[in-house]
Amino acid sequence: MRATLIDGKTVAAQIREEVRLEVERISRSDQKPALAVILVGDDPASQVYVRNKARACEKAGIHSITQTFPAEISEQQLLNEIQKFNDSPEWHGILVQLPLPAHINAERVIEAIRPEKDVDCFHPFNVGRLMLGMPVFLPATPAGIVELLHRYQIETSGKHVVILGRSNIVGKPLANLLMQKDPRANAIVTVVHSAAGDVTSYTREADILIAAIGKAEFVRKEMVKEGAVVIDVGINRVEADTPRGYRLVGDVAFDEVAEVADYITPVPGGVGPMTIAMLLKNTLKAYEIQS
Ligand code: GUN
């Protein structure tokens, strides 16, 4: 393998320890940061993500609860549950795990969360602040990627970053973050999506290629410029002869792309752990601004 592995698991552990120490320092006997997590339905992947978030909170000294509702919950009932957390000073962060069932309007749900408690940075108010370069919270996965690049001393200023995918959770906020006039960003950003005809003509131009489309091993060796940095945001389950019946792969064909790239993130153990670490940072921030 030619590429240097970007070890998100180790970097995330460092950040989680930094958060733990800060939580210890600022917590009072009668109050500490607290995160309310809401999960609707029984999507197995969402259950894993939510469990991992709760565990990470516990290890960092952050109080958390997970409220699980059946997929049939009405939108109004869900909005009422959110309102309870909005109104309670005991809860500093509120996170509604996505995706939500089709009968629930996710935009209305996200807009119902008080912006000061929106630790995902999904609320239009916080997205607007991010775009204007005046953020309170940073969106977890995009911020985790910027943090990884920074800790591996990978220059972004003036570099061409090509992002595959335009989701509201990754592609759009990441493009916004990386184009900001900030030493950790300042990149030339291209967002490529499903309307692109010849995807390779874009990806081969990337100094930093970030794949966030949710298609198993979509990015092949021929699509990557020699010496590029490749960041894989995908977590896809593919059928495999394992005890669980599946294995996790990213949006990048890791083995072959690692032969042409200079840096690459693995799946699992790359971007995923960083998302959780940044969520903890945001929960700490929410506590600070509300205390
Ligand atoms: N679904 C996939 N990623 C995320 C995330 O970062 N936050 C929430 N709330 N839901 C998600």
Side-chain angles (χ1 to χ4, degrees):
M1 177 166 126
R2 162 193 169 139
T4 299
L5 199 69
I6 298 181
D7 181 359
K9 201 173 162 185
T10 299
V11 174
Q14 286 164 5
I15 294 170
R16 285 165 56 170
E17 178 60 12
E18 290 162 19
V19 171
R20 190 189 67 77
L21 291 170
E22 185 61 13
V23 168
E24 197 174 73
R25 196 180 71 77
I26 64 167
S27 291
R28 304 196 314 251
S29 60
D30 60 335
Q31 205 190 27
K32 62 179 186 171
L35 174 68
V37 177
I38 295 174
L39 174 62
V40 180
D42 50 13
D43 175 59
S46 289
Q47 285 172 338
V48 173
Y49 299 148
V50 161
R51 196 157 57 231
N52 289 341
K53 288 171 187 181
R55 271 201 203 126
C57 280
E58 193 188 334
K59 286 187 187 159
I62 293 171
H63 182 47
S64 83
I65 56 162
T66 302
Q67 282 206 334
T68 306
F69 298 103
E72 298 74 32
I73 189 175
S74 74
E75 186 178 306
Q76 192 53 52
Q77 279 174 303
L78 183 58
L79 293 173
N80 294 346
E81 296 296 334
I82 289 169
Q83 204 51 45
K84 288 184 204 162
F85 290 118
N86 276 340
D87 292 340
S88 165
E90 281 164 47
W91 299 97
H92 308 98
I94 304 171
L95 180 156
V96 179
Q97 186 66 26
L98 303 180
L100 289 168
H103 70 276
I104 295 176
N105 183 326
E107 287 171 5
R108 272 205 290 271
V109 169
I110 289 166
E111 271 199 289
I113 298 171
R114 266 179 63 187
E116 310 92 279
K117 301 194 177 190
D118 170 39
V119 289
D120 267 325
C121 195
F122 289 169
H123 192 288
F125 179 88
N126 287 320
V127 175
R129 293 196 66 115
L130 176 75
M131 184 167 178
L132 295 169
M134 45 193 286
V136 177
F137 299 113
L138 293 175
T141 301
I145 291 167
V146 170
E147 190 71 31
L148 272 183
L149 295 171
H150 176 70
R151 296 209 183 198
Y152 276 81
Q153 296 178 332
I154 294 165
E155 181 68 74
T156 53
S157 181
K159 300 296 180 189
H160 187 191
V161 175
V162 176
I163 300 169
L164 290 181
R166 57 174 157 185
S167 72
N168 289 341
I169 296 182
V170 184
K172 281 187 217 166
L174 180 59
N176 249 302
L177 196 52
L178 282 169
M179 74 167 80
Q180 297 294 326
K181 192 164 184 173
D182 179 290
R184 287 195 186 192
N186 213 28
I188 317 305
V189 181
T190 301
V191 179
V192 180
H193 48 75
S194 50
D198 179 6
V199 173
T200 299
S201 69
Y202 297 98
T203 59
R204 280 197 65 87
E205 294 297 315
D207 301 313
I208 301 172
L209 177 61
I210 304 175
I213 45 172
K215 289 190 177 166
E217 299 178 320
F218 176 84
V219 175
R220 316 299 305 201
K221 186 178 179 175
E222 304 75 45
M223 299 167 71
V224 179
K225 180 168 78 174
E226 207 178 300
V229 175
V230 179
I231 306 290
D232 191 349
V233 187
I235 305 177
N236 309 289
R237 291 185 179 195
V238 296
E239 236 178 81
D241 193 9
T242 63
R244 289 175 168 151
Y246 66 87
R247 66 192 172 91
L248 295 179
V249 300
D251 291 349
V252 175
F254 181 89
D255 289 342
E256 60 176 70
V257 172
E259 296 302 328
V260 293
D262 269 0
Y263 289 88
I264 191 167
T265 62
V267 175
V271 173
M274 292 299 291
T275 297
I276 295 184
M278 302 319 272
L279 168 69
L280 301 183
K281 273 197 155 193
N282 280 345
T283 306
L284 178 58
K285 182 88 172 258
Y287 175 77
E288 286 168 345
I289 62 180
Q290 288 164 60
S291 292

